[in-house]
């Protein structure tokens, strides 16, 4: 007897996930983004049957967080260089409901556009006081908040004179492990959008706009930090575009 059969015998009705919108989420093969040519599947994807284990919420408690995991500016003995920013928002499901107590993780380049990664060797300075990694749990209303520094742009050799727009990577879970979402948050008015194949692999212009944070002057800390609001929707018509994250890429 399968798990799904067992659930049916107990009278349980499994929730069904909406299929991803092909115009909202970037295709696995985006020829302008060079590495997808070698890593994209070469055969049609198979839709596997849904089981109870796929709709069981992840157990991500407070014990997984350090006291300063949400504040990337205070994780070392000194302050990192760069413009301090507050990044905050809400996580919602496809029906508009807040997703409470879910783990949100971010990673980013420093203010000079360099990651603390052995593979990142372009000649921008490393910051000894900036790791570029943070995590937080959403509250009962699905809200999260990070303090960090504005990341810089960086070259990445995908095409001639290629530069990534400033961005912050996000990873988070919804109500189950199958709802893991990996995406990138961009900043308003970035002049590099026009030549970035990752940003432009999202074919729907309105969906691309949902990856751009909103400058939030009301949340700025006077004489200390600017603020940006970035809401994340896991499924549905207004979902945030997500990506197929490749562990071998540092893009």
């Amino acid at each position: 007897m399968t798990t799904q059969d067992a659930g049916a015998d107990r009278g349980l009705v499994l929730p069904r996930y909406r299929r991803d919108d092909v115009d909202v989420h970037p295709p696995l093969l985006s020829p302008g983004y060079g590495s997808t040519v070698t890593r994209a599947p070469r055969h049609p994807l198979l839709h596997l049957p849904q089981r109870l284990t796929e709709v069981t919420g992840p157990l991500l408690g407070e014990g997984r967080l350090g006291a300063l995991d949400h504040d990337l500016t205070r994780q070392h003995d000194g302050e990192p260089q760069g413009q301090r920013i507050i990044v905050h928002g809400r996580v919602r499901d496809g029906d508009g409901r807040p997703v409470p107590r879910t783990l949100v993780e971010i990673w980013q380049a420093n203010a000079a556009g360099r990651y603390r990664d052995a593979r990142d060797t372009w000649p921008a300075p490393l910051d000894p006081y900036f790791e570029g990694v943070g995590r937080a749990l959403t509250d009962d209303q699905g809200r999260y908040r990070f303090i960090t520094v504005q990341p810089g742009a960086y070259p990445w050799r995908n095409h001639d004179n290629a530069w990534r727009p400033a961005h912050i990577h996000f990873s988070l879970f919804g109500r189950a492990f199958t709802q893991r979402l990996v995406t990138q948050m961009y900043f308003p008015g970035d002049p590099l959008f026009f030549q970035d194949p990752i940003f432009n692999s999202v074919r729907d212009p309105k969906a691309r706009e949902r990856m751009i944070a909103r400058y939030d002057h009301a949340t700025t800390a006077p004489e200390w930090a600017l603020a940006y609001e970035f809401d994340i929707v896991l499924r549905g018509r207004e979902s945030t575009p997500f990506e197929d994250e490749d562990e071998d890429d540092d893009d």
Side-chain angles (χ1 to χ4, degrees), residues 16-21 50 93-96 235-237:
R16 295 291 175 182
Y17 296 131
R18 299 177 179 90
R19 293 287 174 86
D20 299 328
D21 188 327
Q50 184 173 297
D93 66 15
D95 296 316
R235 292 287 186 201
R237 189 177 304 171

Side-chain angles (χ1 to χ4, degrees), residues 72-73 81 83 85 87 105-117 120 130-134 146-152 154 166-170 185 187 250-251:
L72 284 66
T73 69
Q81 295 294 310
Q83 171 67 60
I85 58 174
V87 177
E105 298 176 299
I106 63 170
W107 64 99
Q108 64 170 91
N110 65 20
R114 187 167 175 184
Y115 288 96
R116 187 180 287 273
D117 188 311
D120 190 349
F130 190 74
E131 199 74 28
V133 177
F146 290 100
I147 302 170
T148 184
V149 298
Q150 175 93 22
Y154 58 82
H167 61 278
I168 297 177
H169 296 266
F170 275 74
M185 183 200 92
F187 293 86
D250 59 1
D251 307 328

Side-chain angles (χ1 to χ4, degrees), residues 8-212:
D9 287 347
R10 293 196 300 271
L12 299 177
V13 178
L14 295 181
R16 295 291 175 182
Y17 296 131
R18 299 177 179 90
R19 293 287 174 86
D20 299 328
D21 188 327
V22 295
D23 289 323
V24 171
H25 304 294
L28 298 177
L29 176 60
S30 299
Y33 180 9
S35 64
T36 68
V37 176
T38 58
R39 78 186 189 202
R42 302 186 187 278
H43 301 284
L45 299 181
L46 298 176
H47 290 284
L48 300 177
Q50 184 173 297
R51 309 295 186 190
L52 277 175
T53 54
E54 294 163 345
V55 293
T56 301
L59 299 176
L60 304 170
E62 300 283 355
R64 291 177 178 265
L65 300 177
L68 297 177
D69 281 1
H70 72 289
D71 189 342
L72 284 66
T73 69
R74 295 197 297 145
Q75 294 173 350
H76 296 277
D77 292 336
E79 277 198 282
Q81 295 294 310
Q83 171 67 60
R84 295 188 203 90
I85 58 174
I86 298 165
V87 177
H88 72 104
R90 295 185 71 194
V91 180
R92 293 180 287 122
D93 66 15
D95 296 316
R97 298 171 299 184
V99 181
R101 303 298 166 187
T102 195
L103 183 67
V104 182
E105 298 176 299
I106 63 170
W107 64 99
Q108 64 170 91
N110 65 20
R114 187 167 175 184
Y115 288 96
R116 187 180 287 273
D117 188 311
R119 297 171 296 178
D120 190 349
T121 58
W122 83 285
L126 283 171
D127 190 331
Y129 302 124
F130 190 74
E131 199 74 28
V133 177
R135 52 171 40 183
L137 282 179
T138 57
D139 67 11
D140 291 339
Q141 299 303 313
R143 294 177 298 222
Y144 72 88
R145 185 175 186 269
F146 290 100
I147 302 170
T148 184
V149 298
Q150 175 93 22
Y154 58 82
W156 65 303
R157 301 179 181 177
N158 182 75
H159 52 276
D160 182 53
N161 197 20
W163 290 79
R164 291 298 331 277
H167 61 278
I168 297 177
H169 296 266
F170 275 74
S171 167
L172 62 156
F173 291 99
R175 299 188 183 278
F177 281 107
T178 52
Q179 286 186 325
R180 182 173 184 244
L181 178 148
V182 177
T183 191
Q184 297 182 24
M185 183 200 92
Y186 298 92
F187 293 86
D190 196 302
L192 295 173
F193 287 149
F194 79 98
Q195 55 82 68
D196 184 65
I198 297 179
F199 179 76
N200 290 298
S201 66
V202 177
R203 289 171 284 196
D204 183 346
K206 292 183 179 179
R208 285 199 298 268
E209 290 294 320
R210 295 199 290 272
M211 296 190 293
I212 302 174

